[in-house]
Structure formats: C-alpha cells, structure tokens
Amino acid sequence: MDMEKRTLIPSNEQYQDTIKELTDKNLFRTLIAVRMGCEMGMTRFEIVNARISDLNRYHNRGLWVEIAKRVHRGNKIIDGKKTAQFQARSREIPVNSSLYGLIKGFTSQSPVYIICPCKGNIMTPLEPRNINFFYTNTHIPWSTHKSRHYYKNRVLDWMRDNKQVDFELLSDLLGHKKTQTMQYGNISWDYKQKTIDEVFK
C-alpha cells in the first residue's frame, strides 16, 4: 500500500463521488462494505462477520455485531511466557435510514451474511483481507481503516457544528473500550440513533 493511500482520509466530496461511482457501476457489495466502514465506523473484521439475522435484533435499524473488535484483557503466563489475552467485544451499531434501505434490498437473497462470498461456501464469512480487495479492485484512494477515520470526523464535525461535542458518545459509536467513568450508566439507543440520522441525513 502506498503512503498516500495509507494516510488519506477522504473529504466529503471525495466520499460522495466514490459512492456515486460505485452505485452507477452496480458494485453493490463494495458499495455496502465502504458505507459500513464510513457510515457505521465498522472494522473489516466486523463487516465480514455481520449477519443478516442481527439486523434489527434488539432495536429498529440497529446492527448487532456478535464478533466485534478484539480488546486487550491483560496478560497470562503460558508455558513460562507472558502472552497477551484478547476478548472479542460485541456491540450494537445504529444504521442510518439510507444505508439501512440499501442493506435490506441487497441482502434479500443472501442466506447468512450481509456481504456473502460470490463463490465457495456461502455459509462462511469472507476473510477481512477481502475488504481490502474490494477497495483495491475499484481504485478507492483511501484504506479500509481510514473509512473509520472518516466516520469519526463526520460525527465529530457535526457535533462541533451543533455545539454539542460528546466524546463519550463518539467513543461508544467507535466501539472503544469504556473508561472507568463510562462504566456507570449507558448511552440511550434513541440518542445514538438520532445523532447518526442527523449526521448522515
């Protein structure tokens, strides 16, 4: 990966141009993968493991991700060596109405996963590196990880424009580990959904 692609976070204009081009070419698997990264802040690992049955599982227009990003849970001595221990943390992500409609229409014929393999065993998820191939094959000028940066910037820009910066909400939407203070109480689903609807309307 070249340095420019590794560091580029798309502008809103670049993003909209890319979405239009993917739509015009009917590249819907890539379109949904890109939008899930840029409008839901999902990692490659989360995207390939997202199941159709987990859409609306707990809340309307919410996607429950059973296998989310790994979180470091300390170290354990194994065979005399200190080994890092990780745990996959689940989370529910609000989906804006436009992306929700696209996903529902696209997945009507899919058996298990929102983005399923075109060939091979369609009951197993893609590998995270397949998302990289989607980006490379369609000449998307930023990396998959920078899609999460774009998502963070869009949400934070909206908060600043509306003079209601909420770093606790931003951290929650990105699936970051909670601080000790954040362990007390939860952010309401209605608040999260309303914010995302405003950011990506």
Side-chain angles (χ1 to χ4, degrees):
M1 183 187 299
D2 60 49
M3 184 59 66
E4 182 179 357
K5 183 163 186 172
R6 187 177 296 133
T7 58
L8 175 66
I9 300 173
S11 66
N12 290 340
E13 182 179 5
Q14 285 176 308
Y15 179 63
Q16 294 302 328
D17 287 346
T18 298
I19 294 307
K20 184 180 185 305
E21 182 177 353
L22 293 174
T23 303
D24 291 344
K25 292 180 178 178
N26 295 323
L27 298 172
F28 291 110
R29 287 206 313 161
T30 301
L31 174 65
I32 290 173
V34 172
R35 290 189 64 177
M36 289 174 79
C38 289
E39 297 179 34
M40 296 176 68
M42 296 178 71
T43 66
R44 297 176 309 155
F45 190 73
E46 291 173 331
I47 291 170
V48 297
N49 284 287
R51 293 173 174 262
I52 298 168
S53 59
D54 288 330
L55 193 62
N56 302 321
R57 178 171 170 181
Y58 294 115
H59 294 98
N60 184 42
R61 287 195 291 116
L63 176 63
W64 177 257
V65 183
E66 190 68 43
I67 305 175
K69 59 184 294 186
R70 298 195 310 164
V71 179
H72 185 241
R73 294 300 188 193
N75 300 303
K76 186 177 182 180
I77 303 299
I78 300 177
D79 295 330
K81 296 181 179 179
K82 185 169 69 171
T83 305
Q85 300 296 297
F86 293 91
Q87 178 182 349
R89 184 174 68 239
S90 303
R91 66 188 183 116
E92 187 176 20
I93 308 170
V95 188
N96 67 70
S97 57
S98 171
L99 179 53
Y100 177 80
L102 176 64
I103 291 173
K104 289 291 285 185
F106 178 76
T107 59
S108 59
Q109 304 299 320
S110 301
V112 179
Y113 295 96
I114 289 177
I115 300 178
C116 67
C118 286
K119 54 186 177 180
N121 187 353
I122 60 175
M123 303 302 288
T124 60
L126 293 169
E127 294 290 333
R129 67 175 179 271
N130 289 120
I131 304 299
N132 292 35
F133 298 151
F134 289 173
Y135 277 58
T136 301
N137 292 342
T138 54
H139 307 291
I140 293 173
W142 64 89
S143 70
T144 56
H145 184 65
K146 292 306 178 184
S147 288
R148 272 175 57 82
H149 285 255
Y150 174 82
Y151 174 77
K152 183 205 75 172
N153 288 352
R154 278 288 296 271
V155 175
L156 190 54
D157 286 349
W158 181 88
M159 289 178 171
R160 286 169 172 158
D161 287 345
N162 288 275
K163 297 180 174 55
Q164 47 183 325
V165 176
D166 186 337
F167 287 112
E168 184 177 352
L169 172 61
L170 184 62
S171 179
D172 183 276
L173 291 171
L174 288 166
H176 290 166
K177 183 179 179 181
K178 291 185 177 182
T179 64
Q180 188 64 38
T181 302
M182 291 165 61
Q183 298 291 336
Y184 295 90
N186 293 309
I187 299 171
S188 75
W189 177 257
D190 289 342
Y191 178 43
K192 288 190 279 190
Q193 186 73 76
K194 180 181 178 181
T195 299
I196 291 305
D197 284 346
E198 288 294 322
V199 173
F200 294 102
K201 64 182 179 181

